[in-house]
Amino acid sequence: MKMLTAAALCVLMILSLCSRAEATTAFDLLRASAVSYTGSLPCGEWDCECAFKRQQGCCCIEQPLFDLEEATFMRMVGLWEGLSHLNTQIEELTAGCKISFTAAMLPMSGCLGPFTSNMSIAYQSISLNQGNGYNPALGTFTAPHAGLYSFSFTAYSSVGSPGQRLYQKVQLMKNGQLIASSWEDNREDSEDSSTQTVLLQLRRGCQVYVELLSGRQLCGDTQGQNMFSGYLVYPFPDK
Ligand SMILES: *[C@@H]1O[C@H](CO)[C@@H](O)[C@H](O)[C@H]1NC(C)=O
C-alpha cells in the first residue's frame, strides 16, 4: 500500500509536469499528499529540494527512466547493426543471380557431323541469356556465380526415310567430364528425339556444354528442335 502511494506520488509529479494548465491544482494536490505522507519511499530519501523547487524532470523514477532509455537505445543500435549486416549478406547473395539461358541449333536441312572428334555443339539461336553465362559461338555455359544449376538438352535427328541409319549421340559435359548422354542407333525409324535434365553444383567459372560424339550426326532439324537450356536454381556464397 505504501509502495502504491509512493508510486502514485511520482505519477502525479510527472502528470503535473506534462500538463501546464492543471499544474497549479496538481501541484497543490501533490504538496498536500507529500506533506501528509508518513511512510518510507521505495527510491530512498524524499528529496524535497528536488521535488518542490526544481521540478523539471526531477523525480525518484528519473534514474530508472534514464537507464531504460539508455538500454533501449543500445538495443536499437544493436538491432540496426544486425539489420545492416543482414542486408549486406542478402545483397551479396542475390547480386547477379538472375541466371538463365535457352538456345537452339539454327534450323538445317542437312546434317551436323560426322566429325572425327567429339565436337561441342554451338546452339546459336538464343532466346534467353540472362546473366550472359552462355556463349553461342562456343556453345559453352560458364557459371557467373556458384550455385545449384539445372540443365536440359534435347537431341533430335531425322534422316529422311526408314532404312537409313539414325546414328546420334550427344553428351552433356562439365569441365571436360561426362555428366549425361543420350543416343540412338537404328534403321527402323527415321526420326527420334530425347531430352535429359540434370542438376549440377557449380563453382563460379565452371563450364558446361553439349558435345556431338565423333562419327555421329544430327540431321534434318529444320525447326531448331536441338536445344540446350539452363538456369540457376539457387546460389551458393562465392568463396
Ligand atoms: C568422346 O566421348 C566419348 C564418350 O564419352 C569418350 O569415350 C571419348 O574418349 C571422347 N573422345 C575424346 C577425344 O575426348
Side-chain angles (χ1 to χ4, degrees):
M1 193 54 199
K2 279 176 183 174
M3 297 278 280
L4 275 180
T5 315
L9 274 179
C10 282
V11 170
L12 259 178
M13 285 177 70
I14 293 170
L15 282 179
S16 72
L17 296 178
C18 295
S19 143
R20 285 179 182 276
E22 292 164 17
T24 318
T25 31
F27 186 74
D28 291 344
L29 188 61
L30 179 67
R31 184 193 291 270
S33 307
V35 168
S36 62
Y37 183 72
T38 51
S40 65
L41 292 158
C43 54
E45 291 302 299
W46 179 257
D47 185 351
C48 285
E49 166 78 6
C50 175
F52 292 107
K53 295 194 177 140
R54 296 189 290 109
Q55 281 188 45
Q56 296 294 335
C58 189
C59 176
C60 60
I61 61 163
E62 187 185 16
Q63 189 58 40
L65 274 178
F66 177 80
D67 291 347
L68 181 66
E69 189 185 330
E70 192 73 359
T72 307
F73 177 73
M74 292 315 289
R75 210 174 144 73
M76 276 176 66
V77 168
L79 283 173
W80 174 255
E81 281 170 0
L83 267 177
S84 307
H85 184 60
L86 202 61
N87 201 32
T88 313
Q89 277 186 318
I90 289 173
E91 274 171 9
E92 273 173 13
L93 206 59
T94 56
C97 279
K98 283 184 183 158
I99 300 169
S100 56
F101 73 96
T102 300
M105 262 167 54
L106 293 173
M108 58 174 180
S109 50
C111 294
L112 178 72
F115 303 110
T116 52
S117 60
N118 300 344
M119 191 72 88
S120 74
I121 300 171
Y123 300 85
Q124 287 180 325
S125 173
I126 297 177
S127 50
L128 181 71
N129 197 8
Q130 277 202 316
N132 282 311
Y134 179 71
N135 179 337
L138 302 173
T140 300
F141 173 78
T142 306
H145 202 291
L148 182 78
Y149 286 82
S150 171
F151 293 96
S152 303
F153 62 94
T154 297
Y156 166 86
S157 191
S158 170
V159 289
S161 55
Q164 286 192 283
R165 190 182 185 194
L166 258 184
Y167 191 51
Q168 71 202 50
K169 182 168 185 177
V170 301
Q171 57 191 14
L172 185 81
M173 308 291 289
K174 171 185 161 187
N175 286 342
Q177 171 203 351
L178 172 64
I179 300 295
S181 56
S182 126
W183 62 94
E184 181 77 30
D185 182 5
N186 79 61
R187 292 176 194 277
E188 280 150 32
D189 59 2
S190 60
E191 186 180 24
D192 241 311
S193 76
S194 61
T195 298
Q196 286 260 21
T197 299
V198 294
L199 287 174
L200 290 178
Q201 301 190 52
L202 301 184
R203 293 205 183 98
R204 184 209 290 263
C206 264
Q207 296 200 314
V208 178
Y209 48 95
V210 180
E211 281 183 346
L212 176 64
L213 264 79
S214 64
R216 311 264 179 151
Q217 53 186 2
L218 293 169
C219 298
D221 179 6
T222 55
Q223 293 176 66
Q225 316 256 37
N226 281 273
M227 291 186 67
F228 180 34
S229 66
Y231 62 92
L232 176 64
V233 180
Y234 53 79
F236 300 146
D238 263 322
K239 288 277 152 58

